[in-house]
Amino acid sequence: MVKLKYDFDEVIERKNTNSEKWDGVSHLFQKPDLLPLWVADMDFRSPQPIIDAIIQRAEHGIYGYSLTPPEYYEATISWYKRRHGWTLDKQWFFYTPGVIPAINFTLQAFSEPRDKIILQNPAYPPFFFAVKNNVRRKLLNPLILNNGRYTMDFDDLEKRVKDPLVKILILCNPHNPSGRVWTKEELTHVGEICLENNILVLADEIHCDLIYPDHKHMPFASISDEFAQNSITCTSISKTFNLPGLKLSNIFVPNPKLRVKFNNLIQGTGVKEPNCFASSALIAAYNECEDWLDELMIYMKDNLEFLKTFMKENLPKVKITEPEGTYLVWLDFRELIPDSKELTRILFDVAKVALFEGFLFGKGGKGFERLNLACPRSILEEALNKIANAVKTEL
Ligand SMILES: Cc1ncc(COP(=O)(O)O)c(C=O)c1O
């Protein structure tokens, strides 16, 4: 095992910090003492340069309306060039207080009530809420599961896009919950279908930096200028450096006509500049924390291997959808516990472990659970032991 410079094994108390994951869990699920491996944030401290940048900004003591300095753009542009081979233009940038707000804004700007939005299920639950809350209609293009690996169903997509009410496809790349890092071929195929049928691609690339060895994230818009002109890409420092509480996302809109429309919509919402702490954090993150991220992914890979070995030895009937990116693992419990209510009972009431329940990801999710690997190995081991013991006593 490689010796790491950063200590991801350190267990840091997160209770009583207003943490949604740790303090919100019992309230949300109405059950006490749950060990939380559900929502997608990490139990690791963010890298020190980010903490220092926030403290330095905080010490000034005046938190007025803030500008985005040139370093904000330079740091982001350089990151995307270095890490993903994508050349961004400063004019493309919008900031929103999260990717989900940006998805809602995109639906509002580029579709009308009752229009249809394509989702590739199982899909991240807030995509469904965004469609419903904006009085749009979802059109499912289910992913195909074959031997523990999901692929896109292009034949089905070809049929769906013929509906003239379809306006937007939400592309999740890397995909939550399956962990697929879509290949250039897959993205090209989906991009061409959307182009031919005049459907905007809303690329949620929030997990783009969390990629395992042997896989490469391909930003959808970087594939061709035509794709760039027909897409909106949502990104963030939040998953990469564990900063979702800072509420900052960068949204890239290369097409000038789409930019005008998006800008008009955003102006109307009052969302303007990023909060002052988040922009200081972004500059430190993209300029100084690359080595931390590289080590994080080594630790994640080791956690994944630990999980695989544990499952093989203790719960061989649980099938693992091996992630190519993200720190999330999509586990198929259907063979072990076919009744999904019984699955919930065993996990939440007996094991007292909170995972993200598969049925919330729409059709095809029932009987699955999403587990968050981004915790010290001792917590992962504790959770897995609790699950294995509960299965032993209950089945
Ligand atoms: C695919 C995906 N999009 C968006 C989000 C949430 O984005 P934000 O917190 O920036 O609104 C998540 C969080 O888990 C996610 O997995």
Side-chain angles (χ1 to χ4, degrees):
M1 212 171 272
V2 195
K3 175 97 186 83
L4 301 181
K5 184 170 134 200
Y6 299 100
D7 182 9
F8 296 101
D9 281 328
E10 184 187 358
V11 176
I12 301 168
E13 180 59 77
R14 294 190 66 193
K15 282 192 190 144
N16 301 316
T17 63
N18 297 326
S19 155
E20 188 177 342
K21 186 176 184 182
W22 285 84
D23 296 318
V25 64
S26 295
H27 179 72
L28 182 71
F29 297 105
Q30 294 292 305
K31 295 180 201 302
D33 306 323
L34 290 167
L35 185 60
L37 283 81
W38 62 293
V39 73
D41 77 18
M42 309 200 245
D43 294 329
F44 307 125
R45 195 178 280 119
S46 290
Q48 196 60 39
I50 296 178
I51 299 171
D52 293 343
I54 293 173
I55 290 173
Q56 197 188 4
R57 182 65 192 83
E59 276 176 349
H60 185 244
I62 300 177
Y63 313 122
Y65 295 116
S66 302
L67 300 171
T68 22
E71 302 87 68
Y72 182 100
Y73 298 100
E74 285 157 16
T76 311
I77 290 170
S78 168
W79 179 267
Y80 275 87
K81 184 80 197 149
R82 276 195 326 274
R83 303 281 306 191
H84 303 299
W86 187 21
T87 308
L88 303 172
D89 188 311
K90 186 180 164 193
Q91 293 190 42
W92 301 353
F93 281 60
F94 289 89
Y95 353 90
T96 59
V99 164
I100 293 307
I103 288 174
N104 281 273
F105 295 151
T106 304
L107 298 192
Q108 289 159 22
F110 302 107
S111 68
E112 300 295 328
R114 302 189 64 72
D115 277 347
K116 295 186 184 170
I117 313 296
I118 296 182
L119 301 179
Q120 297 181 305
N121 57 299
Y124 178 56
F127 294 170
F128 295 103
F129 308 148
V131 171
K132 189 159 185 257
N133 293 341
N134 289 293
V135 203
R136 273 61 171 169
R137 288 181 284 176
K138 65 173 188 285
L139 198 58
L140 297 179
N141 168 227
L143 299 176
I144 300 170
L145 178 58
N146 203 349
N147 280 333
R149 185 179 154 88
Y150 284 88
T151 50
M152 291 191 200
D153 187 342
F154 296 110
D155 293 337
D156 177 76
L157 183 60
E158 293 272 16
K159 287 184 207 136
R160 309 261 166 225
V161 292
K162 298 300 172 216
D163 183 337
L165 287 177
V166 177
K167 299 291 160 56
I168 298 172
L169 176 139
I170 303 184
L171 173 74
C172 191
N173 178 34
H175 184 263
N176 173 6
S178 75
R180 274 301 317 277
V181 174
W182 302 117
T183 61
K184 187 175 180 186
E185 290 67 35
E186 289 169 312
L187 294 169
T188 303
H189 202 157
V190 80
E192 279 169 358
I193 294 174
C194 288
L195 258 185
E196 278 160 21
N197 293 280
N198 207 14
I199 292 165
L200 179 70
V201 176
L202 171 48
D204 176 344
E205 301 194 353
I206 195 168
H207 295 281
C208 70
D209 295 313
L210 303 162
I211 308 294
Y212 293 106
D214 302 330
H215 298 280
K216 173 128 188 57
H217 169 72
M218 172 69 55
F220 173 79
S222 73
I223 292 176
S224 71
D225 188 47
E226 280 176 308
F227 286 6
Q229 297 301 318
N230 188 42
S231 61
I232 291 184
T233 301
C234 303
T235 69
S236 180
I237 48 171
S238 64
K239 296 292 165 209
T240 313
F241 298 104
N242 203 23
L243 302 165
L246 286 182
K247 297 282 164 204
L248 171 64
S249 299
N250 280 319
I251 314 302
F252 305 129
V253 189
N255 181 323
K257 286 198 182 121
L258 299 188
R259 254 192 335 259
V260 170
K261 260 190 138 172
F262 197 66
N263 190 42
N264 289 343
L265 193 283
I266 295 241
Q267 293 292 321
T269 65
V271 168
K272 273 201 310 189
E273 66 280 329
N275 86 60
C276 58
F277 299 113
S279 57
S280 299
L282 177 142
I283 295 165
Y286 283 156
N287 285 344
E288 298 173 63
C289 302
E290 201 157 356
D291 63 335
W292 182 91
L293 173 62
D294 290 338
E295 288 210 348
L296 169 79
M297 289 318 291
I298 295 173
Y299 194 83
M300 285 302 96
K301 180 76 180 155
D302 288 346
N303 267 5
L304 178 61
E305 292 307 320
F306 180 86
L307 172 105
K308 281 164 57 182
T309 308
F310 186 96
M311 290 304 199
K312 208 165 152 194
E313 288 170 2
N314 300 282
L315 296 166
K317 285 190 178 164
V318 177
K319 299 207 177 62
I320 297 171
T321 313
E322 175 130 6
E324 299 167 348
T326 81
Y327 49 68
L328 309 167
V329 193
W330 187 235
L331 300 170
D332 183 352
F333 278 86
R334 290 174 302 175
E335 191 187 335
L336 181 68
I337 312 174
D339 177 352
S340 69
K341 287 209 178 87
E342 183 64 353
L343 174 60
T344 303
R345 188 187 71 77
I346 292 177
L347 290 177
F348 285 71
D349 294 339
V350 185
K352 294 200 165 292
V353 176
L355 302 183
F356 210 133
E357 299 224 81
F359 66 83
L360 297 166
F361 292 76
K363 267 198 190 130
K366 207 164 156 187
F368 288 76
E369 297 283 337
R370 196 193 74 180
L371 180 145
N372 180 347
L373 284 174
C375 57
R377 195 142 319 131
S378 59
I379 294 184
L380 178 63
E381 187 173 10
E382 184 185 346
L384 295 177
N385 275 321
K386 279 170 176 259
I387 295 171
N389 289 337
V391 166
K392 232 181 261 163
T393 58
E394 300 301 304
L395 290 188

